Amino acid sequence: MDSHVAPYPPELAAPGTSAAAFEPLLAVDELPPGTMRRVTRGDLDILLANTPAGIVATDDRCPHMSAPLSIGGLDGCVVSCPLHEGRFDLCDGTVVQMPTTGGLDAEGTYHPTWSPAGREPKVDPPGLKAEARRLTRVRRLRYYPVRIADGRIEVAVPR
Ligand code: FES
């Protein structure tokens, strides 16, 4: 199987990874192109994805409200979250589509709520929940260094 590691923006490395030891998480054969898997180490859920750019490892937590991305969809480099339609490019770390709930992007710019075509807009009565949605920031994806050795996917996991 042709498997290689995708590059990622160095400023998006997860904290602690520069000093972390690589450990085998999965056999390469268990992650065919176009698939995703969750692998858990301690309290860290890691998303492994085999994208057209190569294999990436990031948190298996949506950068919006922490839903498991591993049960979302993967279309090329773009993972879609199962909760609020957020879509994120795993190959460059960018937000492709903000969540339906709106909120803040990583820079702190506010984005309004929205509804997918054909669906009635959800009325968001003013109150604490609306305020929480408005103030929730979609964070940047954080990446874990990956290497392939002896047919296994190894990831630098901070402890
Ligand atoms: S938790 Fe993923 S888009 Fe909201």
Side-chain angles (χ1 to χ4, degrees):
M1 185 185 301
D2 173 34
S3 291
H4 57 283
V5 174
Y8 60 84
E11 69 275 14
L12 296 184
T17 49
S18 61
F22 281 86
E23 50 182 286
L25 294 193
L26 199 69
V28 169
D29 290 348
E30 293 180 85
L31 192 71
T35 65
M36 302 187 286
R37 286 282 295 270
R38 165 184 276 202
V39 180
T40 299
R41 288 291 180 275
D43 67 352
L44 199 59
D45 297 314
I46 295 176
L47 173 74
L48 294 174
N50 194 341
T51 75
I55 293 173
V56 299
T58 183
D59 290 305
D60 190 17
R61 294 163 67 88
C62 178
H64 178 226
M65 291 185 181
S66 300
L69 293 173
S70 56
I71 61 169
L74 181 64
D75 182 7
C77 285
V78 177
V79 63
S80 52
C81 177
L83 274 193
H84 310 113
E85 313 272 347
R87 296 172 70 220
F88 310 93
D89 191 323
L90 293 173
C91 299
D92 64 11
T94 57
V95 176
V96 176
Q97 179 169 278
M98 283 290 282
T100 51
T101 52
L104 304 177
D105 62 24
E107 282 75 36
T109 302
Y110 174 72
H111 296 255
T113 59
W114 63 278
S115 299
R119 276 196 236 161
E120 288 295 311
K122 266 193 196 165
V123 182
D124 205 6
L128 210 51
K129 282 189 179 177
E131 186 71 348
R133 283 191 275 270
R134 190 179 70 77
L135 290 175
T136 296
R137 185 187 296 254
V138 176
R139 303 182 72 184
R140 293 183 175 84
L141 289 172
R142 297 291 181 194
Y143 292 85
Y144 298 88
V146 177
R147 71 184 185 193
I148 294 172
D150 299 328
R152 297 180 305 186
I153 301 166
E154 297 187 346
V155 176
V157 181
R159 294 291 184 179

